[in-house]
């Protein structure tokens, strides 16, 4: 039986045709390597403009993990502590990359589906200054979170302001930031509050590959370009990453694709609840988490779906720019049996 990857992950989605066209367009002539090309210049400027960050440094990486590692490592020294939620991708799904490259400790904070209460920050920084404990210097949060939740603008602003009062830098893992921005229907700059560094995902939202690092306070990320180079993320042919961003960021395409993914997830979510199935988290962006008993899972055995925890009956179904209404109807119909 052929198993469909339609809901397996937004990473499983095909590449958007506009991105393929942009790659072909960028293939015409020789241009300078290692980011000294016009594509990088244009994409950099677009990201600065969109996020109202005129002084930001922009770096490009090939994967979301690399983008996180670059941002977190440049902000920390080996005796520092990186705070994150208990479900952070950087903690659970990057094979310890941020810890290995930064040398800093990664500490999990309790959260509500990845949304952290600012009081948790206060608890951690209370011990700062004691040589026996590592020094909390940055907190990383995810927008939208690993459980598909979205930080509202006010909640995010409050969190970032509190972190800054506590002398913590703020990193946003924005692997799915387009989905969050589309869900909030906000200006992108508002969806990142005053965060110090943001990784802007491209791979899950129509690109072939490539995530950007928007460094909004470059003076606090000394050496970041050396980290990028050391971990092999300064692509000599960076134009092909930048051209993809340029294509997606033109005429709001990145938010249209993200909004479509969110709409499909909302449709799926409504269908699941209508048949009495229990969602494990509210559907706020493009990921749906639903409890399935073995019989229900068997009914959709034709679909590869991720089970985040082998001991829990919760399954994740992800929609992308390419998800169709027919696919959503099909999975719902199969579940109805
Ligand atoms: C929240 C989040 N951050 C970062 C990443 C890393 O992306 P990549 O797999 O491209 O390294 C992912 C990928 O699933 C993710 O879900």
């Amino acid at each position: 039986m052929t198993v469909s990857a339609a809901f397996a992950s937004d990473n499983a989605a095909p590449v958007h045709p506009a991105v393929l066209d942009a790659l072909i367009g960028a293939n015409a002539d020789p241009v300078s390597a290692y980011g000294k090309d016009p594509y990088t210049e244009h994409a950099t400027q677009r990201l600065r403009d969109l996020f109202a960050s005129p002084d930001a440094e922009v770096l490009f990486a090939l994967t979301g993990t690399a983008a996180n590692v670059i941002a977190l490592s440049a902000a920390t020294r080996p005796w520092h502590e990186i705070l994150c939620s208990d479900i952070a991708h950087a903690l659970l799904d990057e094979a310890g990359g941020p810890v290995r490259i930064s040398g800093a400790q990664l500490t999990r904070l309790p959260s509500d589906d990845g949304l952290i209460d600012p009081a948790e920050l206060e608890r951690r920084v209370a011990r700062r200054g004691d040589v026996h404990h590592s020094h909390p210097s940055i907190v990383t949060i995810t927008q939208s979170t690993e459980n598909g939740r979205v930080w509202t603008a006010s909640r995010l602003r409050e969190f970032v302001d509190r972190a800054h009062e506590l002398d913590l830098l703020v990193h946003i893992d924005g692997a799915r930031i387009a989905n969050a921005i589309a869900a909030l229907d906000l200006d992108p700059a508002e969806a990142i509050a005053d965060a110090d560094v943001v990784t802007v995902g491209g791979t899950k939202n129509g690109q072939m590959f490539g995530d950007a690092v928007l460094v909004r306070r470059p003076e606090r990320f000394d050496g970041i370009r050396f980290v990028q180079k050391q971990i092999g993320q300064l692509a000599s042919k960076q134009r092909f990453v930048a051209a993809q961003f340029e294509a997606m960021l033109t005429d709001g395409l990145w938010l249209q694709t993200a909004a479509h993914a969110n709409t499909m997830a909302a449709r799926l979510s409504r269908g699941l609840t209508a048949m009495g199935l229990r969602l494990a988290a509210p559907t706020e962006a493009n990921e749906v988490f639903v409890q399935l008993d073995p019989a229900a899972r068997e009914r959709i055995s034709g679909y590869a779906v991720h089970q985040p925890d082998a001991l829990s009956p919760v399954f994740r179904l992800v929609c992308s720019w390419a998800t169709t209404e027919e696919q959503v109807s099909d999975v719902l119909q199969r579940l109805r049996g």
Side-chain angles (χ1 to χ4, degrees):
M1 179 179 60
T2 316
V3 175
S4 165
F7 297 99
S9 169
D10 31 17
N11 285 325
V15 178
H16 195 282
V19 169
L20 290 176
D21 287 348
L23 287 169
I24 290 168
N27 199 36
D29 296 307
V31 299
S32 297
Y34 299 108
K36 306 233 177 300
D37 60 88
Y39 302 94
T40 296
E41 196 185 318
H42 294 155
T44 296
Q45 198 50 47
R46 265 200 203 275
L47 284 161
R48 285 188 183 132
D49 293 346
L50 278 167
F51 288 98
S53 308
D55 302 321
E57 263 203 65
V58 178
L59 292 80
F60 295 94
L62 302 176
T63 67
T65 298
N68 285 344
V69 167
I70 291 168
L72 295 171
S73 303
T76 46
R77 309 289 295 273
W79 55 89
H80 282 184
E81 182 176 44
I82 302 164
L83 307 178
C84 66
S85 90
D86 48 354
I87 58 165
H89 194 272
L91 175 76
L92 302 179
D93 295 301
E94 296 183 0
V99 172
R100 174 169 180 179
I101 305 300
S102 69
Q105 175 180 325
L106 199 51
T107 298
R108 70 176 74 202
L109 304 179
S111 76
D112 173 19
D113 290 326
L115 304 171
I116 306 169
D117 189 318
E120 298 297 338
L121 303 178
E122 288 157 32
R123 208 162 287 141
R124 286 311 297 184
V125 302
R127 304 195 313 177
R128 195 193 259 151
D130 179 342
V131 74
H132 298 286
H133 302 298
S134 44
H135 178 97
S137 65
I138 188 165
V139 56
T140 174
I141 57 175
T142 306
Q143 174 75 311
S144 53
T145 75
E146 291 77 359
N147 279 5
R149 302 290 302 279
V150 172
W151 288 81
T152 61
S154 59
R155 186 170 190 164
L156 183 65
R157 206 176 316 112
E158 187 199 339
F159 182 87
V160 174
D161 289 350
R162 191 70 194 113
H164 285 165
E165 282 163 16
L166 297 169
D167 197 21
L168 287 165
L169 292 169
V170 179
H171 165 247
I172 296 180
D173 173 348
R176 295 190 179 86
I177 200 160
N179 301 96
I181 295 170
L184 292 166
D185 195 17
L186 271 187
D187 191 85
E190 284 185 65
I192 59 167
D194 194 24
D196 303 287
V197 63
V198 182
T199 61
V200 181
T203 311
K204 298 179 193 303
N205 190 31
Q207 291 184 199
M208 184 178 281
F209 54 83
D211 288 32
V213 186
L214 182 77
V215 190
R216 302 181 73 236
R217 288 175 75 191
E219 70 283 3
R220 299 293 300 270
F221 296 81
D222 191 30
I224 193 164
R225 292 198 182 270
F226 289 96
V227 179
Q228 178 194 26
K229 176 68 185 178
Q230 280 191 327
I231 67 167
Q233 290 296 312
L234 178 58
S236 60
K237 297 208 172 176
Q238 187 171 288
R239 69 169 131 157
F240 293 108
V241 183
Q244 295 181 58
F245 270 100
E246 176 70 358
M248 291 306 297
L249 299 178
T250 299
D251 296 332
L253 179 59
W254 67 310
L255 296 183
Q256 291 160 26
T257 50
H260 173 82
N262 293 352
T263 302
M264 290 299 108
R267 190 183 179 96
L268 175 60
S269 186
R270 278 195 305 274
L272 295 170
T273 43
M275 69 179 79
L277 291 172
R278 204 166 156 260
L279 297 183
T283 304
E284 295 177 351
N286 66 321
E287 296 177 280
V288 180
F289 291 83
V290 63
Q291 280 193 19
L292 298 178
D293 62 27
R297 176 65 188 103
E298 181 56 29
R299 283 200 288 280
I300 56 163
S301 56
Y303 285 99
V305 291
H306 179 56
Q307 185 178 14
D309 176 351
L311 300 179
S312 155
V314 173
F315 291 83
R316 183 192 73 168
L317 284 79
V318 190
C319 296
S320 76
W321 73 271
T323 305
T324 63
E325 288 182 10
E326 290 69 33
Q327 286 166 335
V328 172
S329 301
D330 183 67
V331 84
L332 290 173
Q333 198 179 321
R334 284 168 194 253
L335 277 169
R336 274 185 216 104

